[in-house]
Amino acid sequence: MPVKLAENEYGKSRVRLVKVERHGSRHELQDLSFDIQLSGDFTAAYAEGKNELVLPTDTMKNTVYALARQQPLGEIEEFGERLTGHFLSRNPQVERVRVAISQNSWARIKAGTREHDYAFVRAGEERRTSVVEQARSGQPGPAVRSGIADLAVLKTSRSAFQGFLRDEYTTLEDTPDRLLSTAVTAEWTCAPGVRRYGEMWRAARQTILEVFANHDSRGVQHTLYAIGSAVLERVPEIARIELALPNRHCYRVDLAPFGLDNPNEVFAPADEPYGLIRAVLARS
Amino acid sequence: MPVKLAENEYGKSRVRLVKVERHGSRHELQDLSFDIQLSGDFTAAYAEGKNELVLPTDTMKNTVYALARQQPLGEIEEFGERLTGHFLSRNPQVERVRVAISQNSWARIKAGTREHDYAFVRAGEERRTSVVEQARSGQPGPAVRSGIADLAVLKTSRSAFQGFLRDEYTTLEDTPDRLLSTAVTAEWTCAPGVRRYGEMWRAARQTILEVFANHDSRGVQHTLYAIGSAVLERVPEIARIELALPNRHCYRVDLAPFGLDNPNEVFAPADEPYGLIRAVLARS
Amino acid sequence: MPVKLAENEYGKSRVRLVKVERHGSRHELQDLSFDIQLSGDFTAAYAEGKNELVLPTDTMKNTVYALARQQPLGEIEEFGERLTGHFLSRNPQVERVRVAISQNSWARIKAGTREHDYAFVRAGEERRTSVVEQARSGQPGPAVRSGIADLAVLKTSRSAFQGFLRDEYTTLEDTPDRLLSTAVTAEWTCAPGVRRYGEMWRAARQTILEVFANHDSRGVQHTLYAIGSAVLERVPEIARIELALPNRHCYRVDLAPFGLDNPNEVFAPADEPYGLIRAVLARS
Amino acid sequence: MPVKLAENEYGKSRVRLVKVERHGSRHELQDLSFDIQLSGDFTAAYAEGKNELVLPTDTMKNTVYALARQQPLGEIEEFGERLTGHFLSRNPQVERVRVAISQNSWARIKAGTREHDYAFVRAGEERRTSVVEQARSGQPGPAVRSGIADLAVLKTSRSAFQGFLRDEYTTLEDTPDRLLSTAVTAEWTCAPGVRRYGEMWRAARQTILEVFANHDSRGVQHTLYAIGSAVLERVPEIARIELALPNRHCYRVDLAPFGLDNPNEVFAPADEPYGLIRAVLARS
């Protein structure tokens, strides 16, 4: 039976790297995880088991380590570009390379106001992320996205959800005041030629936090839009931002059976089910 | 600053349902999880916090339970179609609905050869899956995909990886005989009008297992292609199949430092990093 | 300030081993994970950083692999005994060794009734377990426990919970008919000198399944006791059994707001919170 | 066959509570999870399915919420004592109650140096913990333990491991300089009558961080002992401390095959296997 290979990609995932850069007694720490995917004309490997053009995924892992040694990593976006360029320039059989990098957060241990030179404490489960994609033909440079994953935030005031559509299966009641708990995942597309990735990331993160905190939310969609517009406004290099906000419901517990009121004090958080709101905002 | 809402979708995730259908003393069990996503013109909710057109995600959850009560669930693909049809027909503001369903595996408890009527034991972490997508305009009916997730398999013979491309960062050696351990995730697109989803699923699953077992593998790509072609061959209603096979490496332990050989007997499996091979096969 | 080291132990956890034993074309597969802990007089290492008596945890890992090569593994209890004996006989500074082993479940892939010689499919998340503890002084041989972890079962009939204690915070209603979903974890102590570990394990597992299925349950405690007593009855070498049964609640969904009844057909399972019932049964 | 119930306990696990205490516009947030276990004479429930003395685990959950409403929570240790006292005083059939509480970490969102009144960001995966145990007879008051779980730290200097015991299965080499990465879990026993739990916890946490950072480590045991002794020294109410430190190995990558050196710059972290060091320190 005639079968065709309509799409294909392969690579190595969860390649983990800790890189230490030493400036005298002061050490810089980077804790990263890589997913690398190549695509191209690999029909012979699939259809016939001929591996002549297959760069082993083990080699991709080694490449991460070898390139990490050879010069300072720089921002994760920059290291992603080095990797996509490396694989594309050496492998004519490859048409497209995608490298996704996720960076764990560490802060220096403090004693009083003094920051330690080489000792760190994990600073939350949030991660800085980047995806670099480069095709052999097409755009002149790689497409670079930057982002943040799982930035968990919660506010105990200024969040409502009311006036929504009701149908025969609606039991939810209007609430002028609820808890809003989410974990922001954002990914933005940088205009070509951008080079201040770290600064942009810090500005975007701080904007997300401040707008989440100060916005008068009428719903998760409303919050998401406020966050996205503010990031576009404050960081001019960002052309487009995708946001995903799970609604991590905190249910107000009904204490009436026990003769008690509950003026928004006692909540039962639940992991599932959860609302999930996703949107892309762009400059118009 | 002028901002536009370029894309949007929202819904409820991880809605869990256990449905029991009782035929006399014999009970049928379905253990499902749903992700529902709607998209359409929700600009007012995002930009202004006006929720008039926003069907609460809580209502989506209730809808799953209410529809589950009203008639037998049928195959998960059929129940997915009922849900997409329901949301689309009642909500003119919605342009597209996507329902993803994941079904856990349970087997009847056995005593000897007798199967129990109403007691079950969990039968692996593999899940039967389906994604039903329906747009208001466009194709006449919904697009239905069926699949299987995380079907973990391992073979201890007939798997090689050699003759691959080598560069300066390649240290992997040719191996004529290795362990092959993976967890197959597959998703196939059904030709419109198909109605024997369960039968097709069982045929596809059995084909995956048999081809994995009997194939003379020269690499994960080779195995993937063999599996995909065989499914297309044996199940004529399947038009296209996407397969993702992580390579869950089992490293042969070097026992030479202890004066011992290791004729492919002692392996150290590792969860990360892992190879990941994805491809789509279609009839040509 | 005078400080004493009141207790100490150290070792290697999550040492993973896949062992293949080949009998002609038929291969046997064992997929194991080890936690090893040694205790003894290691004060110098703690208080002064003197490591002369510290066997590296890396060596413990190597030991698992080297011993696994040297003879057939046998039952996990037997291999646990080899390991505790090894560490104790070579390390006079060690007073006690504990080895915990967890075995993943794999079944041969079947085509029709024929079982494959060297290809396997994962058979559930349940694991066979063993803990072997051996002290330098004290009992003549090691203490051996065997068990099963996370054997997930569910029944849709013959489970009630009523007539319980009520206080001012009780809102739960009596139910003569509910779903009972749990994941049995059991650990039994073998009388010294036992040597048919595998047979005992299979008998205990089958007893757990059958009693869970056929018992007329008035509560999780009642089910636990029925299971434990039956295991003690059917497997004479088992002197004592500890059982832990989480109550994985499946809540009957209230469909009355939608004008629907729910005769125990539609349930919402929830992972948390969960009841947890633990008891030890022994021969009296 | 005569069987006896040698031990038993039951209760509710993963009861999650978010409590908001409002002081004008400034809100305090507590995000907690509870495990409650009762033991006593429940033989009738086990052996005969008679539930007259069984307080439902659902009631335990309700009790957490009702008591949380009735007064400020206070420190988690204090709320644990209220819960154990509640269950013991109302339930004569209960002999012993254990309440374990785990508190998630949230920090106020900052803009410049200003802390937000009611918006929070998750501050790491570390958790403050407490276990309160109270028996009907025995000691006058409850036994209270406080602790910290999963405080992840890493240092890039001042950590060695050398001069250890070598046997035939040892391949590890002496290293005068390695990365030390761990996640500290500590639990301390408070002298009876203690009432400044929060202050003690903050002092213990800061001590753990500073000693980890500044200590000249010759091994994980050495670090553990230094941390434990310092906590005992600086916090006089702590009578005894248990510490568990997993060694989250970061392997120096061998770059020699690529013609590169690796002066402790490029590491591959691995989750498994991992060393695990546990000890109890007490005042002598």
Side-chain angles (χ1 to χ4, degrees):
Chain A
M1 191 201 48
V3 164
K4 71 163 184 257
L5 186 65
E7 295 173 27
N8 77 84
E9 59 174 13
Y10 84 106
K12 200 73 154 193
S13 287
R14 292 285 300 162
V15 175
R16 293 175 61 188
L17 164 69
V18 165
K19 174 89 190 284
V20 182
E21 295 178 2
R22 295 155 202 267
H23 310 288
S25 65
R26 189 156 183 100
H27 297 181
E28 302 293 333
L29 175 72
Q30 282 168 300
D31 177 7
L32 307 175
S33 175
F34 297 78
D35 293 334
I36 298 168
Q37 287 282 314
L38 312 184
S39 50
D41 182 8
F42 293 100
T43 304
Y46 284 92
E48 303 168 63
K50 292 190 177 165
N51 297 317
E52 284 78 359
L53 298 179
V54 176
L55 188 73
T57 65
D58 187 72
T59 300
M60 300 179 199
K61 178 197 70 179
N62 289 345
T63 305
V64 169
Y65 295 133
L67 266 61
R69 172 69 188 103
Q70 292 174 48
Q71 59 181 86
L73 274 189
E75 304 287 350
I76 57 173
E77 291 84 355
E78 294 164 352
F79 192 64
E81 292 181 33
R82 284 176 60 200
L83 283 166
T84 57
H86 173 93
F87 290 119
L88 211 51
S89 66
R90 311 283 184 102
N91 292 279
Q93 79 282 24
V94 169
E95 287 301 321
R96 200 180 67 241
V97 180
R98 187 176 66 250
V99 174
I101 306 180
S102 170
Q103 179 170 29
N104 289 327
S105 301
W106 293 89
R108 290 179 186 280
I109 290 177
K110 280 186 194 166
T113 58
R114 213 182 67 81
E115 289 190 330
H116 205 277
D117 276 344
Y118 53 76
F120 303 84
V121 57
R122 187 71 183 271
E125 285 306 290
E126 64 172 273
R127 301 176 304 284
R128 179 173 166 184
T129 59
S130 177
V131 179
V132 179
E133 264 185 295
Q134 189 163 2
R136 181 166 305 284
S137 43
Q139 76 265 51
V144 177
R145 283 170 283 160
S146 298
I148 190 165
D150 293 329
L151 176 63
V153 288
L154 186 158
K155 64 193 287 186
T156 58
S157 191
R158 298 280 193 89
S159 166
F161 188 52
Q162 42 196 352
F164 44 76
L165 188 62
R166 309 189 70 86
D167 72 10
E168 78 225 72
Y169 298 133
T170 301
T171 52
L172 190 72
E173 287 172 27
D174 272 2
T175 170
D177 191 9
R178 62 173 185 174
L179 255 55
L180 182 57
S181 175
T182 187
V184 178
T185 292
E187 194 174 71
W188 50 90
T189 308
C190 304
V194 162
R195 274 294 168 274
R196 45 167 214 128
Y197 293 115
E199 238 176 289
M200 287 167 58
W201 188 85
R202 286 182 292 275
R205 181 184 184 277
Q206 184 61 21
T207 302
I208 292 168
L209 290 177
E210 290 184 19
V211 175
F212 174 81
N214 293 324
H215 181 247
D216 222 335
S217 173
R218 297 183 193 158
V220 178
Q221 283 89 337
H222 196 213
T223 296
L224 182 154
Y225 190 89
I227 288 173
S229 325
V231 171
L232 289 175
E233 187 161 4
R234 296 192 202 168
V235 192
E237 294 95 333
I238 297 181
R240 173 188 170 93
I241 181 167
E242 177 168 0
L243 287 151
L245 273 67
N247 192 348
R248 297 182 161 180
H249 307 293
C250 289
Y251 298 104
R252 200 167 63 85
V253 179
D254 179 13
L255 300 175
F258 320 129
L260 297 166
D261 65 348
N262 184 2
N264 269 359
E265 288 200 357
V266 173
F267 296 86
D271 283 347
E272 58 180 33
Y274 62 93
L276 181 56
I277 319 297
R278 284 189 282 219
V280 176
L281 272 64
R283 297 175 192 280
S284 63
Chain B
M1 192 201 51
V3 165
K4 70 165 187 252
L5 185 65
E7 296 174 23
N8 77 85
E9 60 174 12
Y10 84 106
K12 200 73 154 193
S13 286
R14 290 287 299 164
V15 176
R16 294 176 59 189
L17 164 68
V18 166
K19 175 89 190 284
V20 182
E21 294 179 1
R22 295 158 201 268
H23 309 288
S25 64
R26 190 156 182 99
H27 296 182
E28 301 293 333
L29 175 72
Q30 282 167 301
D31 177 7
L32 308 176
S33 176
F34 296 79
D35 294 334
I36 299 167
Q37 287 281 314
L38 312 184
S39 51
D41 182 7
F42 292 100
T43 305
Y46 284 91
E48 303 168 63
K50 292 190 178 164
N51 297 318
E52 284 79 359
L53 298 180
V54 177
L55 188 73
T57 64
D58 187 73
T59 300
M60 300 177 198
K61 178 197 71 181
N62 289 345
T63 304
V64 168
Y65 295 134
L67 266 61
R69 172 69 187 101
Q70 292 173 46
Q71 57 182 86
L73 275 188
E75 304 289 349
I76 56 173
E77 290 83 355
E78 293 164 351
F79 192 62
E81 291 181 33
R82 283 176 61 201
L83 283 166
T84 56
H86 172 93
F87 290 118
L88 211 52
S89 67
R90 311 281 184 103
N91 292 279
Q93 78 282 23
V94 169
E95 287 302 321
R96 200 179 67 241
V97 180
R98 186 176 66 250
V99 173
I101 306 179
S102 170
Q103 179 170 31
N104 290 327
S105 302
W106 293 89
R108 292 180 185 278
I109 289 176
K110 282 187 193 165
T113 58
R114 212 182 66 80
E115 289 190 330
H116 204 275
D117 277 343
Y118 53 77
F120 302 85
V121 58
R122 188 72 182 270
E125 285 306 289
E126 64 172 272
R127 300 175 307 285
R128 180 173 166 184
T129 59
S130 176
V131 179
V132 180
E133 264 186 295
Q134 188 162 4
R136 182 167 302 286
S137 44
Q139 76 265 52
V144 178
R145 284 171 282 159
S146 298
I148 191 165
D150 293 328
L151 176 63
V153 288
L154 187 158
K155 66 193 284 185
T156 57
S157 190
R158 297 279 193 90
S159 165
F161 187 54
Q162 42 196 353
F164 43 77
L165 187 63
R166 310 188 70 87
D167 71 10
E168 78 226 69
Y169 299 134
T170 301
T171 53
L172 189 72
E173 287 170 28
D174 273 2
T175 170
D177 190 9
R178 61 174 185 175
L179 254 55
L180 182 57
S181 174
T182 186
V184 179
T185 293
E187 193 175 71
W188 50 89
T189 308
C190 304
V194 162
R195 274 294 167 275
R196 45 168 212 128
Y197 292 115
E199 238 176 292
M200 287 166 58
W201 187 85
R202 286 182 293 274
R205 181 182 184 278
Q206 184 62 22
T207 302
I208 292 168
L209 291 177
E210 290 183 20
V211 175
F212 173 82
N214 293 324
H215 181 247
D216 222 333
S217 173
R218 297 182 194 159
V220 179
Q221 283 90 335
H222 196 214
T223 295
L224 183 154
Y225 190 89
I227 289 173
S229 327
V231 171
L232 289 175
E233 186 161 4
R234 296 194 203 166
V235 192
E237 295 95 331
I238 296 182
R240 173 187 170 93
I241 181 167
E242 178 168 1
L243 286 151
L245 272 66
N247 192 348
R248 298 182 160 179
H249 306 292
C250 289
Y251 298 104
R252 199 167 62 86
V253 179
D254 178 13
L255 301 175
F258 320 128
L260 297 167
D261 64 348
N262 184 2
N264 268 0
E265 288 201 355
V266 174
F267 296 87
D271 284 346
E272 57 182 33
Y274 61 93
L276 181 56
I277 319 298
R278 282 188 284 218
V280 176
L281 272 64
R283 297 175 191 282
S284 63
Chain C
M1 191 201 50
V3 164
K4 69 164 186 255
L5 186 64
E7 296 174 24
N8 77 83
E9 60 174 13
Y10 85 106
K12 200 72 152 193
S13 287
R14 292 286 299 163
V15 176
R16 294 175 60 189
L17 164 68
V18 166
K19 174 89 191 284
V20 182
E21 295 178 2
R22 295 156 201 267
H23 309 288
S25 65
R26 189 156 182 99
H27 296 182
E28 302 293 331
L29 175 71
Q30 281 167 301
D31 177 7
L32 307 176
S33 175
F34 296 79
D35 294 334
I36 298 168
Q37 286 282 314
L38 312 184
S39 50
D41 183 7
F42 293 99
T43 305
Y46 285 92
E48 303 168 63
K50 292 190 177 163
N51 297 318
E52 285 78 358
L53 299 179
V54 176
L55 188 73
T57 64
D58 187 73
T59 300
M60 300 178 199
K61 178 196 71 179
N62 290 344
T63 305
V64 168
Y65 295 134
L67 266 61
R69 172 69 187 101
Q70 292 173 48
Q71 59 181 87
L73 275 189
E75 304 288 349
I76 56 174
E77 290 84 355
E78 293 164 353
F79 192 63
E81 291 180 34
R82 284 176 61 201
L83 282 165
T84 57
H86 173 92
F87 290 118
L88 211 50
S89 67
R90 312 282 184 102
N91 292 279
Q93 79 282 24
V94 170
E95 287 301 321
R96 201 180 65 241
V97 180
R98 187 176 67 249
V99 173
I101 306 180
S102 170
Q103 180 171 30
N104 289 327
S105 301
W106 293 89
R108 291 179 186 280
I109 289 176
K110 281 186 193 167
T113 58
R114 211 182 67 81
E115 289 190 329
H116 204 277
D117 276 344
Y118 54 77
F120 302 84
V121 57
R122 188 73 183 271
E125 285 307 288
E126 64 173 274
R127 300 177 305 284
R128 179 173 166 184
T129 60
S130 176
V131 179
V132 179
E133 264 185 294
Q134 189 162 4
R136 182 165 306 283
S137 44
Q139 75 264 51
V144 177
R145 284 170 283 160
S146 298
I148 190 165
D150 293 329
L151 176 63
V153 287
L154 186 158
K155 64 193 285 187
T156 57
S157 190
R158 298 279 193 90
S159 166
F161 187 54
Q162 41 197 352
F164 45 77
L165 188 63
R166 309 189 70 86
D167 72 10
E168 78 226 69
Y169 298 133
T170 302
T171 53
L172 190 72
E173 288 171 28
D174 273 2
T175 171
D177 190 10
R178 63 174 184 174
L179 255 55
L180 183 56
S181 174
T182 187
V184 178
T185 293
E187 194 175 71
W188 50 89
T189 308
C190 305
V194 162
R195 274 294 168 273
R196 47 167 212 128
Y197 293 115
E199 235 177 294
M200 287 167 59
W201 188 85
R202 286 182 292 274
R205 181 183 184 277
Q206 183 63 21
T207 301
I208 292 169
L209 291 177
E210 289 183 19
V211 175
F212 174 81
N214 294 324
H215 181 247
D216 221 334
S217 173
R218 297 182 193 159
V220 179
Q221 283 89 336
H222 196 212
T223 295
L224 183 154
Y225 190 89
I227 289 173
S229 325
V231 171
L232 290 175
E233 188 161 4
R234 296 193 203 167
V235 192
E237 295 95 330
I238 297 182
R240 173 187 171 93
I241 181 167
E242 178 168 359
L243 286 150
L245 273 65
N247 192 348
R248 298 182 160 178
H249 307 293
C250 289
Y251 298 104
R252 200 167 62 85
V253 179
D254 179 13
L255 300 175
F258 319 129
L260 298 167
D261 65 347
N262 184 1
N264 269 0
E265 288 200 356
V266 174
F267 296 86
D271 283 347
E272 57 181 30
Y274 61 93
L276 181 56
I277 319 297
R278 283 190 282 219
V280 176
L281 272 64
R283 298 175 191 281
S284 63
Chain D
M1 189 202 49
V3 165
K4 70 164 185 254
L5 186 65
E7 295 173 27
N8 77 84
E9 61 175 12
Y10 84 105
K12 199 74 154 192
S13 286
R14 289 287 298 164
V15 175
R16 294 176 59 189
L17 165 68
V18 166
K19 174 89 189 285
V20 183
E21 294 179 1
R22 295 159 201 266
H23 309 288
S25 63
R26 190 156 181 99
H27 297 181
E28 301 294 332
L29 176 71
Q30 282 167 300
D31 177 7
L32 308 175
S33 175
F34 296 79
D35 294 335
I36 298 167
Q37 287 282 315
L38 311 184
S39 51
D41 182 7
F42 292 100
T43 305
Y46 284 91
E48 303 168 64
K50 292 190 177 164
N51 297 318
E52 284 79 359
L53 298 179
V54 176
L55 188 73
T57 65
D58 186 72
T59 299
M60 300 179 199
K61 178 197 69 181
N62 290 345
T63 303
V64 169
Y65 294 133
L67 266 61
R69 173 68 188 103
Q70 291 173 48
Q71 57 180 86
L73 274 189
E75 304 288 351
I76 56 173
E77 290 84 355
E78 294 164 352
F79 191 64
E81 292 181 32
R82 284 175 61 200
L83 282 166
T84 56
H86 173 93
F87 290 117
L88 211 52
S89 67
R90 311 281 185 103
N91 292 280
Q93 80 282 23
V94 169
E95 287 302 321
R96 200 180 67 242
V97 180
R98 187 177 66 250
V99 174
I101 306 180
S102 171
Q103 179 170 30
N104 289 327
S105 301
W106 293 89
R108 291 179 186 279
I109 288 176
K110 280 186 194 166
T113 59
R114 213 182 66 80
E115 288 190 329
H116 204 277
D117 277 343
Y118 53 77
F120 303 84
V121 57
R122 188 72 182 272
E125 285 306 289
E126 65 172 271
R127 299 176 306 284
R128 180 173 165 184
T129 59
S130 177
V131 178
V132 179
E133 264 186 295
Q134 189 163 3
R136 182 166 303 286
S137 45
Q139 76 265 53
V144 177
R145 282 170 282 159
S146 298
I148 192 165
D150 293 328
L151 176 63
V153 287
L154 185 157
K155 66 192 286 185
T156 56
S157 190
R158 297 280 193 89
S159 166
F161 187 54
Q162 41 197 352
F164 44 77
L165 187 63
R166 309 188 70 87
D167 72 9
E168 78 225 69
Y169 298 133
T170 301
T171 53
L172 189 73
E173 287 171 27
D174 273 1
T175 169
D177 190 9
R178 63 173 184 174
L179 255 55
L180 182 56
S181 175
T182 186
V184 178
T185 292
E187 193 174 71
W188 50 88
T189 308
C190 304
V194 161
R195 274 296 168 273
R196 44 167 213 128
Y197 293 114
E199 237 176 292
M200 287 166 58
W201 188 84
R202 286 182 292 275
R205 180 183 185 277
Q206 184 62 22
T207 302
I208 292 168
L209 291 177
E210 289 182 20
V211 174
F212 174 81
N214 293 323
H215 182 247
D216 223 335
S217 173
R218 297 182 194 157
V220 179
Q221 284 89 336
H222 195 213
T223 295
L224 183 154
Y225 190 88
I227 288 174
S229 325
V231 171
L232 289 175
E233 186 161 3
R234 296 192 203 168
V235 192
E237 295 95 330
I238 297 182
R240 173 187 170 94
I241 181 166
E242 177 167 1
L243 286 151
L245 272 66
N247 192 348
R248 296 181 162 181
H249 307 292
C250 289
Y251 298 103
R252 199 167 63 86
V253 179
D254 178 13
L255 301 175
F258 320 128
L260 298 167
D261 65 348
N262 184 2
N264 268 0
E265 289 200 357
V266 174
F267 297 87
D271 283 348
E272 59 182 32
Y274 60 94
L276 180 57
I277 319 298
R278 283 189 284 217
V280 176
L281 273 64
R283 297 174 191 283
S284 63

